Amino acid sequence: MKSDAFVNAVESMNTEAVPDVLAEHVVFKSPVVFKPYEGRELVSVIVTEGAMKVFSDFRYTDRFEQDDSAVLVFEARVGNREVQGIDMLRFDAEGRVRELTVMVRPMSAVHALAEAMGRELERAGVAP
């Protein structure tokens, strides 16, 4: 499956593998920020210095994939909040992620995620 490399990088928290699975001009659509983030370097930082440090007990529970798209269902925690969400992926011709859209529920988890990601991205020098 095209999503295997992304899933393996994220679930194993392999920060070095993340840039390799992203297309050069990848677009990341956050559940808490209106404007998309663009580019491999920036999106890699968001995933490795933000999401990988904010989520705990992260695991994919389901995967739906067809052609150049995949939907990955996940569960995790942000602080004491249980989080359910999906990563929607679109792939380029080389099989790299060209678009990553994240959706999260419930609202209390969205707020916890926004606060925690803001802190981590500020620490990493990336303004949300």
Side-chain angles (χ1 to χ4, degrees), residues 4 13 21 29 36-37 39 43 47 49 68 72 95 113 115 117:
D4 286 345
M13 296 184 67
V21 301
K29 298 177 182 176
Y37 294 98
V43 174
V47 173
E49 297 300 316
D68 72 341
L72 310 172
L113 178 62
E115 183 179 310
M117 284 291 287

Side-chain angles (χ1 to χ4, degrees), residues 21-109:
V21 301
L22 301 176
E24 182 178 350
H25 301 289
V26 62
V27 174
F28 172 67
K29 298 177 182 176
S30 166
V32 297
V33 178
F34 177 74
K35 184 179 177 187
Y37 294 98
E38 296 184 28
R40 179 186 295 141
E41 185 175 332
L42 178 57
V43 174
S44 293
V45 170
I46 291 167
V47 173
T48 61
E49 297 300 316
M52 286 184 173
K53 292 184 177 179
V54 167
F55 286 118
S56 57
D57 300 329
F58 185 94
R59 65 208 167 278
Y60 287 113
T61 59
D62 289 291
R63 186 180 341 185
F64 307 94
E65 192 163 330
Q66 184 175 354
D67 302 325
D68 72 341
S69 300
V71 175
L72 310 172
V73 181
F74 67 84
E75 294 179 352
R77 284 185 308 108
V78 174
N80 63 356
R81 298 283 182 203
E82 295 292 324
V83 178
Q84 296 173 322
I86 60 171
D87 289 339
M88 294 188 304
L89 310 177
R90 295 201 186 277
F91 303 98
D92 66 11
E94 288 78 40
R96 289 189 175 91
V97 177
R98 66 175 170 83
E99 184 177 299
L100 166 59
T101 301
V102 179
M103 296 188 182
V104 174
R105 69 161 303 279
M107 184 62 81
S108 60

